[in-house]
Amino acid sequence: MDIEDVMNFLVEHRAPNVVPGYVSEQLLSMGWIIDVESGTRIIEVGRRWLRSDDAFRAAVAMGLENETYLADSWDELLELAEPMKQRFPSMADDVSAWLERARLSYERRETGFWTSATPRSPGGNDDGHSLPSG
């Protein structure tokens, strides 16, 4: 059985009140007890789910960003995230909030340090990208 099968099983057989974040937490926890290759596959599948037409899977993938990076750069994350607002208009505010939370982590990853003492305003950042102000 492949880890993607497990991921799909968790989504397809979830209880009625289970929210995407809870599935994300379970997948992140599994990453600590499975082999490295399968853990890496969780991230690969999550990245693919960000491009899917399934809102629940996309939301699960967003939750994976709490402990890992789904993109190799901030620009790549924007390329993954911005189209989600068009596909899932009801999730647009959640996507914007996710990007806002992720921005400083990607900044630190790319530079090795924080370039500002306080978070940037929701309207934009220093790298020329602008985030929706919600």
Side-chain angles (χ1 to χ4, degrees), residues 3 27 29-40 42:
I3 193 67
L27 294 172
S29 294
M30 285 174 37
W32 290 100
I33 61 170
I34 58 178
D35 61 79
V36 173
E37 183 180 316
S38 294
T40 301
I42 291 174

Side-chain angles (χ1 to χ4, degrees), residues 35-108:
D35 61 79
V36 173
E37 183 180 316
S38 294
T40 301
R41 288 276 302 137
I42 291 174
I43 304 311
E44 292 169 359
V45 172
R47 189 176 295 175
R48 197 169 66 247
W49 282 5
L50 290 176
R51 293 184 180 101
S52 78
D53 290 329
D54 184 318
F56 191 90
R57 280 180 170 78
V60 168
M62 286 189 331
L64 296 174
E65 276 272 331
N66 288 333
E67 293 184 21
T68 190
Y69 295 98
L70 290 177
D72 293 327
S73 69
W74 175 248
D75 290 336
E76 182 184 351
L77 185 67
L78 289 174
E79 289 173 15
L80 290 167
E82 291 298 333
M84 290 173 56
K85 294 177 185 179
Q86 311 310 314
R87 285 194 318 273
F88 313 116
S90 64
M91 289 176 50
D93 289 341
D94 293 332
V95 173
S96 293
W98 166 51
L99 288 172
E100 193 61 34
R101 285 189 309 272
R103 184 193 341 241
L104 289 177
S105 293
Y106 276 87
E107 177 181 286
R108 179 161 177 111

